[in-house]
Amino acid sequence: MEKKCVMVIDSELPLGLIANTSAVLALTLGKKIEGIIGSVVVDGDSQTHEGITTTPIPILKGSGAMIKELRETISSNYPDLFLVDFSNVAQITKNYDEYMNKIASFTSNDFEYLGIAVYGNKKHVNKLTGSLPLLR
């Protein structure tokens, strides 16, 4: 089965927050998805370069409401897809312990999603995100 990975980020966010959201999502993908990071490579001068992603990751444009709806659809109907979300909870906490405590008090209505990353069956990912434009 062919795999695909995309990020959908709220295009209304300030540029710095867009960059931060994509970095956070990418770090989790790199940790959780076996083989998504390639091996160390060597250039013509025998200098080494750490492995980068072996999978293209288009960054698509969405709104906060659309991202929330997409996240709910994936969670409810596509258990085969790997989903990472980044929400407002991370923006209002100062460290991971505080994040864990705060998120435990939130319900689905409280979350505002800045972005999500989706990885898995290419047909499913395309069905869900194929009509979304690139974030430019």
Side-chain angles (χ1 to χ4, degrees):
M1 166 184 15
E2 195 172 355
K3 304 284 187 171
K4 183 171 183 174
C5 187
V6 300
M7 290 184 192
V8 183
I9 297 180
D10 184 346
S11 61
E12 299 295 316
L13 297 172
L15 187 56
L17 200 46
I18 289 173
N20 180 254
T21 299
S22 62
V24 169
L25 294 172
L27 284 166
T28 302
L29 288 169
K31 178 178 170 98
K32 294 290 194 171
I33 303 298
E34 180 81 26
I36 201 168
I37 303 298
S39 61
V40 173
V41 296
V42 179
D43 66 24
D45 293 323
S46 298
Q47 297 291 316
T48 59
H49 303 269
E50 286 297 324
I52 61 171
T53 181
T54 58
T55 304
I57 305 175
I59 300 179
L60 307 175
K61 183 192 301 191
S63 68
M66 186 275 297
I67 292 167
K68 186 173 191 166
E69 183 179 315
L70 181 59
R71 186 199 179 282
E72 290 171 3
T73 298
I74 293 167
S75 294
S76 299
N77 303 312
Y78 294 88
D80 61 312
L81 295 179
F82 179 74
L83 174 68
V84 184
D85 62 57
F86 189 59
S87 71
N88 57 324
V89 180
Q91 297 300 305
I92 59 174
T93 56
K94 293 181 175 53
N95 58 56
Y96 205 76
D97 286 337
E98 189 178 335
Y99 171 75
M100 288 189 305
N101 290 330
K102 189 70 165 179
I103 208 165
S105 70
F106 271 47
T107 65
S108 58
N109 290 333
D110 299 322
F111 288 100
E112 294 173 24
Y113 292 99
L114 287 67
I116 60 172
V118 184
Y119 175 86
N121 181 305
K122 183 177 182 177
K123 287 182 182 179
H124 293 168
V125 175
N126 283 343
K127 179 180 180 180
L128 293 161
T129 65
S131 64
L132 298 177
L134 286 171
L135 180 61
R136 297 182 185 267

